[in-house]
Amino acid sequence: MTDYRAVRGMVDILPQDTPRWQYIEKTLAAVLGSYGYSEIRLPIIESTGLFARSIGEVTDIVEKEMYSFEDRNGDGLTLRPEGTAGCVRAAVQHNLISTPQKLWYMGPMFRYERPQKGRQRQFHQVGVEAFGVGTPDLDVELLLLGRAMWRALGVGDLLTLELNSIGSPEARAQYKEGLVAYLEGHKTALDEDSQRRLTTNPLRILDSKNPETQALLAEAPELHAYLDDASREDFQQLCELLEAAGLEYRVNQRLVRGLDYYNKSVFEWTTTALGAQGTVCGGGRYDGMVGQFGGRDTPGAGFAIGLERLALLVESLGNGGEQSSDLYVVVADESAQKHALSRIETLREHKPAWTIQMHLGGGSFKSQFKRADKSGAAFALVYGETEVSNNEVTVKPLRSGGEQVIVADNQLVTYLSQRLSQD
Ligand code: ATP
Ligand code: MG
C-alpha cells in the first residue's frame, strides 16, 4: 500500500463537483464572449523575474508565496501566482496591444499560503484584461461585466462592489510618506506585520485585519486628499457612469490591493457568505505595466475572479448541481449486447447532447437495473431476446413511475425526444 496524498493545499476536484465547475466555466465564458472578450491561453510557468518586476518585490506574493525553482538549465522559473503578468507579457510579445484588446483566460494559479476554506495553494482564476483604453468607460465595462457574470450564475445578490482610486504612482508615493509619518508616531500600537510593513509596503497596513491597527487608521491621513487631478477626475467620472448604469458600489478609501502594478481605480467584489475569505474578485487599472514590459506605453485594466470562492457561493444556493444521465442501456446477454451496440452508437450520433450510459461488465437484469437506478437516468433501454428479434426496444421509466413501453427501433429517437423534453 502506498500512502500518497495530494500535496497540502493542492485540491482534487471530484466528479461530484465537476458539473458545477463546468457550469461556472461555461457561463462565464458565454458572458465574456457576449461582451466581446476573447480567450487567450497562457503558460503556467513564467520567468521568475517577470513576477518580481510586475507584482513588486516587497509584496506578499513575491516575498513568500511563489513556487520558484531552477530548471535543469539553471533558469529561474515560477509557477504563476496570478495571470496578469503573463498576459501582459504575451500581449507585448505578440504585439496584441496595438489596438484596443479585450482578453480573458482561465486556469490554475499557485501561491504558498496557509490552506483554509476558500484559500488553497493551487487555486483557479478567470482573469480579464483589457489594453489600450485609458478612460473610465473601460473600468465601468469591467464592472458591468462582473455584475453580468454574477447575475448569470444567480449569485448577484450575494456580492457587493467596493471601489477606490489609488491615484498616480507619484500621488501614492506622497500619500505613503504622509501615512508613514503618521503611523511612525504610533508605531508601538501597530500589530507586528504592520510594523514590518511600515518600511516595506506601508499601504498594505490599510487592509490590516487587526482591530487596534484599524482603530489607529481611523485618524490617519486619507488617501483621497492626496489624489492627483487626473485620477480625481477619472474617479468622479467612473462614479457617474456607474450611477448611470445603475450599478451600486461603496467607496472604500482603505482598499489598496496587494499587487504593486495598480493605479487609479481599484475594486473588489466581496461577500459576507464565505467567512474570512470574502473577496471573490479583485482588480483595477495598471496603466504603467505594458510600458514597463517594453511595450509602447498603453493603458490597461483588468480583474481576476477566484473560482473556488465563486463555486462555494454557487454551491450555497444549490445551483449548478450534478448532471444526471438520460438513458441507461440494459442488455440480456452477449448477443443482445452486440445488437444494442450499433443501435446505441446510431442514437448517440443523432442525439449527441443526450447522456447515454451503456451497461458494462455483464450481470443479471436485476444487478443491471440496480446500476441503472443509481445512474440517475430517466429511462432504461432494455434489449432482451424478443426486442432483438423484433427490432424494437423496451423503454422503462426509472424515475417518473409510469408504464414501460415497447418502441420500434425506427421510432426510438422521436419517442425519446418527446419523453425527455417533458421530463
Ligand atoms: P486575498 O486577500 O484573499 O489573499 P488577494 O488580494 O491575494 O486575495 P488577488 O491576487 O487579487 O487576491 O486574486 C484575485 C482573487 O483570486 C481573490 O479575490 C480570490 O478570490 C482569489 N484568490 C487569491 N488567492 C487565493 C488562494 N490562495 N486560494 C483561493 N483563491 C484565491
Ligand atoms: Mg493573497
Side-chain angles (χ1 to χ4, degrees), residues 206-391:
L206 293 179
D207 60 22
S208 161
K209 305 277 186 294
N210 183 288
E212 282 158 40
T213 300
Q214 276 300 326
L216 269 185
L217 288 169
E219 304 295 316
E222 295 217 318
L223 177 55
H224 282 201
Y226 287 75
L227 286 190
D228 52 298
D229 289 344
S231 297
R232 196 188 303 280
E233 278 161 28
D234 280 4
F235 192 64
Q236 194 185 338
Q237 204 192 335
L238 171 57
C239 293
E240 283 169 16
L241 287 170
L242 286 176
E243 274 147 40
L247 208 176
E248 277 176 43
Y249 61 92
R250 189 174 79 85
V251 176
N252 174 2
Q253 287 203 42
R254 306 239 178 106
L255 178 64
V256 287
R257 315 284 302 119
L259 299 81
D260 271 5
Y261 48 62
Y262 289 114
N263 69 312
K264 291 189 173 170
S265 66
V266 292
F267 58 86
E268 287 185 355
W269 291 94
T270 59
T271 179
T272 53
L274 295 180
Q277 269 57 250
T279 306
V280 171
C281 171
R285 218 167 234 295
Y286 46 81
D287 293 330
M289 201 161 156
V290 172
Q292 200 193 340
F293 278 13
R296 195 152 41 90
D297 247 349
T298 307
F303 62 81
I305 304 168
L307 291 185
E308 276 74 13
R309 296 180 194 179
L310 187 58
L312 286 168
L313 278 190
V314 170
E315 185 182 9
S316 75
L317 297 181
N319 297 346
E322 205 173 334
Q323 261 171 349
S324 55
S325 61
D326 298 312
L327 304 168
Y328 194 95
V329 183
V330 168
V331 290
D333 52 23
E334 225 173 278
S335 90
Q337 187 174 44
K338 271 188 198 141
H339 171 91
L341 272 177
S342 68
R343 281 166 174 73
I344 296 306
E345 286 313 292
T346 309
L347 188 59
R348 286 181 164 135
E349 269 173 44
H350 273 94
K351 292 288 177 187
W354 290 357
T355 305
I356 308 172
Q357 297 204 60
M358 191 80 190
H359 179 79
L360 304 174
S364 65
F365 264 142
K366 192 172 163 214
S367 65
Q368 294 189 45
F369 273 112
K370 243 192 203 155
R371 287 243 213 116
D373 276 331
K374 235 175 128 183
S375 78
F379 297 96
L381 302 184
V382 188
Y383 290 91
E385 214 177 310
T386 327
E387 286 90 344
V388 171
S389 53
N390 294 347
N391 284 320

Side-chain angles (χ1 to χ4, degrees), residues 46 87-97 293:
E46 299 275 357
C87 188
V88 172
R89 193 264 313 137
V92 172
Q93 181 178 337
H94 303 287
N95 211 5
L96 297 179
I97 40 179
F293 278 13

Side-chain angles (χ1 to χ4, degrees), residues 123-145:
F123 62 100
H124 299 80
Q125 290 184 336
V126 162
V128 180
E129 318 288 353
F131 305 111
V133 181
T135 44
D137 48 353
L138 171 62
D139 309 56
V140 174
E141 175 169 282
L142 291 172
L143 296 169
L144 290 173
L145 175 57

Side-chain angles (χ1 to χ4, degrees), residues 18-261:
T18 48
R20 186 178 313 109
W21 280 81
Q22 290 170 353
Y23 161 71
I24 292 170
E25 291 161 2
K26 218 168 63 184
T27 306
L28 296 184
V31 176
L32 284 157
S34 78
Y35 277 72
Y37 286 69
S38 310
E39 186 184 6
I40 184 167
R41 300 193 180 190
L42 302 159
I44 286 173
I45 294 175
E46 299 275 357
S47 301
T48 300
L50 178 81
F51 299 113
R53 176 135 179 224
S54 55
I55 298 171
E57 295 277 3
V58 292
T59 53
D60 282 353
I61 294 180
V62 173
E63 266 185 339
K64 53 186 192 196
E65 294 177 358
M66 296 208 302
Y67 283 89
S68 299
F69 60 99
E70 278 189 6
D71 69 4
R72 287 166 197 278
N73 197 28
D75 293 336
L77 303 178
T78 293
L79 297 182
R80 63 182 183 194
E82 57 97 61
T84 305
C87 188
V88 172
R89 193 264 313 137
V92 172
Q93 181 178 337
H94 303 287
N95 211 5
L96 297 179
I97 40 179
S98 46
T99 51
Q101 186 68 245
K102 307 198 288 185
L103 303 172
W104 67 272
Y105 50 83
M106 169 157 62
M109 307 291 160
F110 302 84
R111 297 183 195 178
Y112 189 79
E113 300 201 68
R114 194 169 71 77
Q116 51 203 291
K117 186 180 165 205
R119 190 176 295 284
Q120 301 172 181
R121 290 181 175 175
Q122 175 174 336
F123 62 100
H124 299 80
Q125 290 184 336
V126 162
V128 180
E129 318 288 353
F131 305 111
V133 181
T135 44
D137 48 353
L138 171 62
D139 309 56
V140 174
E141 175 169 282
L142 291 172
L143 296 169
L144 290 173
L145 175 57
R147 181 176 68 174
M149 295 198 270
W150 319 140
R151 285 184 172 171
L153 290 168
V155 297
D157 291 342
L158 296 179
L159 286 160
T160 49
L161 174 60
E162 295 199 23
L163 191 62
N164 193 19
S165 175
I166 57 172
S168 65
E170 297 75 31
R172 208 155 56 254
Q174 280 179 3
Y175 174 65
K176 226 183 252 184
E177 277 179 30
L179 181 68
V180 170
Y182 168 80
L183 290 175
E184 284 286 359
H186 302 83
K187 193 168 174 180
T188 49
L190 287 174
D191 61 275
E192 203 179 309
D193 263 348
S194 297
Q195 290 196 14
R196 185 173 49 82
R197 286 181 169 145
L198 209 47
T199 47
T200 57
N201 196 357
L203 289 185
R204 266 311 256 203
I205 298 175
L206 293 179
D207 60 22
S208 161
K209 305 277 186 294
N210 183 288
E212 282 158 40
T213 300
Q214 276 300 326
L216 269 185
L217 288 169
E219 304 295 316
E222 295 217 318
L223 177 55
H224 282 201
Y226 287 75
L227 286 190
D228 52 298
D229 289 344
S231 297
R232 196 188 303 280
E233 278 161 28
D234 280 4
F235 192 64
Q236 194 185 338
Q237 204 192 335
L238 171 57
C239 293
E240 283 169 16
L241 287 170
L242 286 176
E243 274 147 40
L247 208 176
E248 277 176 43
Y249 61 92
R250 189 174 79 85
V251 176
N252 174 2
Q253 287 203 42
R254 306 239 178 106
L255 178 64
V256 287
R257 315 284 302 119
L259 299 81
D260 271 5
Y261 48 62

